[in-house]
Amino acid sequence: MAASVRLLVRQAIRLSHRNITVTAAGVSARPSCRCFSESAEERSTHFGFETVSEAEKAKRVYKVFENVAQKYDIMNDAMSLGIHRLWKDMLLHAMHPQPGARLLDVAGGTGDISFRFLEYVRFQRERQQRRAVRFGQTLSLQDISNSYSTIETDGPRESTAVVCDINKEMLKVGKEKAESLGITAGLSWVVGDAEELPFDDDQFDIYTIAFGIRNVTHIDQALQEALRVLKPGGRFMCLEFSKVTNPLLARLYDAYSFQIIPVLGEVIAGDWKSYQYLVESIRKFPSQEEFKSMIEDAGFYCVQYYNFTGGVVALHSGFKL
């Protein structure tokens, strides 16, 4: 009975989300035609510690990332002392994607997760090819020829990564970074809302969202969309700031967050307010257990989480069955 109710809810959400236009230049959303008894202008939510309307939050969050886009990567290094790179590396090792996997990186902005994904699967493919060659050394010439033919015709398709972000400035910075790094094959960029993804059902093997879901107005709706676009057997992975588990570390972390991070934002990016929001939004995000329950309620199975750096960051993972 519960499964039937969840299915009906997902179907209703899907019907309300069919307002996306796909063009040669990319993907854009048509004006929404949602019908609620109360408009987004009237419903309230939080923007950091401030209470605002849902419509106002969406505008403010967009403005925050529009403002910080050019300094986003530099600020990540400064705020985390470079540790964010290790967190993202640990995400990829936990993911362990194989050649042929298709990734959707939501709120992927500057492309850090997608770049790592493509590099990881490239390494895996080369490793498999080296193993095939070593195995072939013990075979006859005909067997070796047949082995290579099999690899070419029956091997996995090329891996692809789709970076989806609602903010055009973040995507612009990501594209520029990809070009400077020479990363183009298998990579695409799409303007899209995590709550109304511009993709058909059952399209991706892996869905990631790193340090983005706390900025979404309706987290439950974003989770439903993640479930919808994943293939059966697909994996949801979310890397996000969370609740520090050690009381002493929590006090030090709070002091650093509120007293140092906004100052860094002002000095490096010329934007105190955006980084004050960042700090506050982390405190408003659900705890590890609460978020785990939200993922399960969305319909994912085998949901787990792993704390990094004492719970400063948590990696949540679940599967679509």
Side-chain angles (χ1 to χ4, degrees), residues 143-189:
D143 288 336
I144 293 172
S145 176
N146 292 339
S147 176
Y148 276 111
S149 298
T150 301
I151 291 173
E152 291 178 5
T153 59
D154 299 331
R157 67 185 186 278
E158 287 295 320
S159 296
T160 59
V162 179
V163 182
C164 180
D165 200 296
I166 198 171
N167 196 288
K168 294 179 181 178
E169 282 300 312
M170 292 290 287
L171 288 176
K172 179 182 175 183
V173 172
K175 289 178 184 178
E176 291 171 353
K177 187 163 72 170
E179 290 172 3
S180 68
L181 295 171
I183 302 173
T184 56
L187 183 63
S188 58
W189 306 83

Side-chain angles (χ1 to χ4, degrees), residues 83-138:
I83 298 175
H84 76 100
R85 298 173 183 268
L86 297 177
W87 294 332
K88 291 168 183 174
D89 288 342
M90 288 190 281
L91 165 62
L92 261 296
H93 284 289
M95 183 193 301
H96 191 50
Q98 295 302 301
R102 192 176 187 208
L103 169 73
L104 174 61
D105 183 20
V106 175
T110 58
D112 274 2
I113 301 301
S114 291
F115 298 162
R116 282 170 167 79
F117 168 82
L118 292 172
E119 175 64 20
Y120 194 99
V121 293
R122 184 188 65 80
F123 175 79
Q124 292 295 323
R125 182 182 291 278
E126 291 176 353
R127 185 180 181 189
Q128 290 174 7
Q129 290 172 343
R130 287 195 299 270
R131 285 180 175 175
V133 170
R134 285 200 300 270
F135 174 73
Q137 288 173 350
T138 65

Side-chain angles (χ1 to χ4, degrees), residues 5 25 74 87 172 232 249 286 294:
V5 171
I74 296 173
W87 294 332
K172 179 182 175 183
L249 178 59
M294 292 177 71

Side-chain angles (χ1 to χ4, degrees), residues 195-208:
E195 296 182 29
E196 299 182 84
L197 292 172
F199 309 104
D200 291 334
D201 299 358
D202 307 329
Q203 293 294 303
F204 299 94
D205 301 294
I206 307 160
Y207 171 114
T208 57

Side-chain angles (χ1 to χ4, degrees), residues 127-311:
R127 185 180 181 189
Q128 290 174 7
Q129 290 172 343
R130 287 195 299 270
R131 285 180 175 175
V133 170
R134 285 200 300 270
F135 174 73
Q137 288 173 350
T138 65
L139 303 176
S140 68
L141 291 175
Q142 184 61 47
D143 288 336
I144 293 172
S145 176
N146 292 339
S147 176
Y148 276 111
S149 298
T150 301
I151 291 173
E152 291 178 5
T153 59
D154 299 331
R157 67 185 186 278
E158 287 295 320
S159 296
T160 59
V162 179
V163 182
C164 180
D165 200 296
I166 198 171
N167 196 288
K168 294 179 181 178
E169 282 300 312
M170 292 290 287
L171 288 176
K172 179 182 175 183
V173 172
K175 289 178 184 178
E176 291 171 353
K177 187 163 72 170
E179 290 172 3
S180 68
L181 295 171
I183 302 173
T184 56
L187 183 63
S188 58
W189 306 83
V190 172
V191 177
D193 186 344
E195 296 182 29
E196 299 182 84
L197 292 172
F199 309 104
D200 291 334
D201 299 358
D202 307 329
Q203 293 294 303
F204 299 94
D205 301 294
I206 307 160
Y207 171 114
T208 57
I209 182 165
F211 307 113
I213 202 162
R214 74 180 185 284
N215 299 307
V216 173
T217 303
H218 305 101
I219 294 174
D220 55 344
Q221 193 164 314
L223 292 172
Q224 287 283 352
E225 280 290 88
L227 186 74
R228 179 181 68 79
V229 301
L230 279 170
K231 299 175 183 177
R235 189 175 189 183
F236 167 86
M237 303 188 79
C238 176
L239 190 65
E240 187 55 89
F241 292 108
S242 199
K243 306 301 181 189
V244 177
T245 54
N246 181 282
L248 177 60
L249 178 59
R251 287 196 294 271
L252 294 173
Y253 179 54
D254 281 344
Y256 176 76
S257 296
F258 286 98
Q259 297 177 27
I260 303 300
I261 288 179
V263 175
L264 288 174
E266 180 65 30
V267 172
I268 296 174
D271 191 340
W272 178 294
K273 289 184 178 180
S274 291
Y275 288 93
Q276 182 69 29
Y277 159 73
L278 165 72
V279 171
E280 293 176 1
S281 68
I282 293 170
R283 272 62 187 183
K284 298 295 289 185
F285 191 70
S287 69
Q288 288 90 325
E289 282 293 332
E290 289 170 333
F291 188 47
K292 176 176 180 284
S293 295
M294 292 177 71
I295 298 169
E296 290 171 336
D297 289 344
F300 288 97
Y301 292 85
C302 305
V303 179
Q304 296 178 302
Y305 66 85
Y306 312 90
N307 285 325
F308 298 158
T309 318

